[in-house]
Amino acid sequence: MVTLYGQVRTLNANMRALEGGLKYAFKASLDPSIADSRTKCFGRFTTNVPIPYSIISINENSGYNPSLGIYTALQSGVYAFSYSVYSRSESILIHKVVLMKNNEAMVIVKENNRDDKQDSGSQTLTLHLQKGDQVYVMLVSGRELCGELQYNVFTGYMLYPDIDYAYSAEDLRFLSHY
């Protein structure tokens, strides 16, 4: 009976969590107006810079901050992230863009091509995040993104939440009777 009660309570808690509007998703693209008016490029900074994707298509529960370009996990769980990089320039094409989790590099898209004037790349990965973890895409120092900046996109969404299996005080009082 005690085991069955615990399983039913856990199932009820899981269902409440899943029904409780756990919608964590965002999609943002880079605004071409942030480019230098002369070079039409974003970049060639002297330090690494988070990319502020500020054109928001989706921002469920407002976990993504377009001013900073940072997604902050509002719930612990497993998330999927993807970003695409596009750059076109009349000069040498060099970009290096890194997806970061709490200031640690996870995946990289880079281009040192000197043969053509446009290139693109993308990365997709899943990460386990704790509440408060931050994920962002960073342009590496000395690199740049040029041309149609709106083709640079950053997305993320929760695949599934961590479920807390801890018993409440009420559960423990009930279980102590058996």
Side-chain angles (χ1 to χ4, degrees):
M1 179 72 169
V2 171
T3 301
L4 183 59
Y5 175 78
Q7 291 172 341
V8 168
R9 292 288 293 189
T10 299
L11 180 59
N12 283 337
N14 291 347
M15 290 304 294
R16 278 192 307 275
L18 293 173
E19 292 170 350
L22 292 178
K23 294 180 182 178
Y24 300 108
F26 72 94
K27 177 186 176 204
S29 55
L30 202 48
D31 184 348
S33 70
I34 68 168
D36 179 280
S37 60
R38 185 181 48 79
T39 64
K40 306 292 187 230
C41 295
F42 172 74
R44 296 258 177 151
F45 301 109
T46 57
T47 61
N48 297 338
V49 175
I51 299 173
Y53 300 89
S54 60
I55 299 174
I56 306 299
S57 301
I58 299 169
N59 196 5
E60 296 284 347
N61 284 309
S62 302
Y64 177 73
N65 182 327
S67 299
L68 300 175
I70 296 174
Y71 178 77
T72 302
L74 302 173
Q75 166 85 33
S76 296
V78 175
Y79 291 76
F81 292 95
S82 178
Y83 70 104
S84 61
V85 179
Y86 175 81
S87 192
R88 180 185 55 77
S89 175
E90 296 303 316
S91 62
I92 295 171
L93 197 68
I94 60 167
H95 62 259
K96 185 174 184 181
V97 179
V98 183
L99 186 124
M100 307 289 289
K101 173 188 170 190
N102 296 332
N103 300 317
E104 181 182 346
M106 297 287 110
V107 291
I108 298 171
V109 171
K110 67 179 183 172
E111 179 60 52
N112 289 318
N113 192 350
R114 299 188 183 345
D115 295 334
D116 62 10
K117 296 180 180 181
Q118 67 180 3
D119 277 292
S120 63
S122 63
Q123 286 282 4
T124 301
L125 74 158
T126 56
L127 294 171
H128 185 268
L129 300 181
Q130 298 299 320
K131 183 177 180 179
D133 282 348
Q134 295 186 321
V135 177
Y136 59 96
V137 179
M138 176 183 73
L139 181 64
V140 173
S141 161
R143 305 298 180 111
E144 64 188 353
L145 297 172
C146 302
E148 291 86 10
L149 296 181
Q150 69 274 17
Y151 298 138
N152 289 271
V153 178
F154 181 32
T155 65
Y157 54 92
M158 177 188 278
L159 293 170
Y160 56 88
D162 287 348
I163 302 295
D164 185 7
Y165 294 103
Y167 291 111
S168 68
E170 177 187 328
D171 294 335
L172 295 175
R173 278 193 301 276
F174 175 82
L175 293 173
S176 69
H177 289 86
Y178 292 95

